[in-house]
Amino acid sequence: GTLFSMVYDIQGNLQNGLDPRKKYLIIDIGWGTTDLVEVSLSSGIGEKDTMNLAMSDYNRMLLELLDKKFQNRNIRNLYHNLYDFDYDIRQGTLNVRGGVIEKKDFFDEIRVVQNELAKKIYDRLNTNGWDFSSYHNIILTGGGGMVLERAIKNTFPKEYRNDIILVDDPVLANAKGFYIFGRKKFQI
């Protein structure tokens, strides 16, 4: 879906200069899993893997770090679910006992967790022998793609960093791509 949303416009015309015959590595970082897929529109899906590591883990790890850093604020007990915590992190403030904690006060902890997750994703790909040189681009998608883009680019070897791109609208890219696919397939 993500690749379709990048290669074709809503009418099914080629766009963005991406070649549908080339191979791409899609890293789709969602809430519960990270999907790793080698895909070409001309030859289909090649290698694929799913990691039980995603944004829920990112938020859990960050919550633990912030709970330790701001012990007197009792952060862990204020957030009964990770969705509320995730929302506040994205807004840039934590509303806790004793006031508000601004993002600038926990920016270092965000970077630590981003780097740790990016390294785990890279290590999984590298350990399983994925050949980064065989891909035209490495495409980040999913809500986690936005959050981890910088860390992933910095984790991958320098020669591949310029090949890593964040898809437009990463949260909806799959849905848009499958819509385009359906229109092309059924000539709607």
Side-chain angles (χ1 to χ4, degrees):
T2 292
L3 189 56
F4 257 89
S5 74
M6 292 183 69
V7 173
Y8 297 104
D9 66 18
I10 201 74
Q11 279 75 37
N13 302 312
L14 286 174
Q15 67 175 3
N16 291 335
L18 294 175
D19 188 339
R21 296 166 296 182
K22 303 236 183 210
K23 282 195 320 186
Y24 298 88
L25 170 58
I26 309 284
I27 302 175
D28 183 353
I29 307 165
W31 182 258
T33 62
T34 295
D35 296 312
L36 312 167
V37 181
E38 173 186 284
V39 66
S40 163
L41 294 179
S42 61
S43 60
I45 295 174
E47 294 289 322
K48 58 186 180 284
D49 191 9
T50 297
M51 298 178 65
N52 290 320
L53 177 77
M55 292 309 294
S56 58
D57 301 292
Y58 166 87
N59 282 288
R60 190 174 297 107
M61 292 163 61
L62 184 57
L63 181 59
E64 288 174 15
L65 280 178
L66 296 182
D67 194 50
K68 287 178 187 171
K69 180 174 183 172
F70 302 106
Q71 290 177 358
N72 60 336
R73 301 291 182 93
N74 203 16
I75 294 173
R76 181 185 303 273
N77 292 330
L78 293 175
Y79 288 97
H80 299 290
N81 68 66
L82 291 175
Y83 296 109
D84 292 339
F85 179 73
D86 180 69
Y87 178 81
D88 283 355
I89 291 295
R90 290 176 189 267
Q91 298 305 309
T93 59
L94 296 175
N95 296 304
V96 296
R97 292 184 183 130
V100 172
I101 302 173
E102 299 290 332
K103 191 173 192 173
K104 65 179 177 53
D105 297 323
F106 56 88
F107 190 77
D108 290 341
E109 286 76 13
I110 288 173
R111 289 290 188 237
V112 165
V113 175
Q114 288 172 337
N115 291 337
E116 187 173 334
L117 258 65
K119 182 170 179 356
K120 287 180 180 184
I121 291 168
Y122 172 77
D123 287 347
R124 176 73 161 257
L125 290 163
N126 195 40
T127 300
N128 290 339
W130 293 57
D131 179 12
F132 304 122
S133 67
S134 69
Y135 304 113
H136 186 65
N137 286 104
I138 298 168
I139 300 169
L140 300 177
T141 192
M146 293 184 299
V147 174
L148 299 178
E149 178 186 17
R150 181 208 52 82
I152 287 174
K153 284 184 175 181
N154 289 337
T155 300
F156 273 66
K158 288 181 183 179
E159 63 266 27
Y160 303 115
R161 291 181 186 168
N162 290 333
D163 297 332
I164 300 171
I165 55 176
L166 179 66
V167 67
D168 292 337
D169 199 359
V171 174
L172 294 176
N174 277 329
K176 288 178 179 180
F178 288 123
Y179 174 78
I180 294 166
F181 173 78
R183 284 183 55 112
K184 278 185 76 62
K185 178 150 179 79
F186 300 105
Q187 300 172 3
I188 300 172

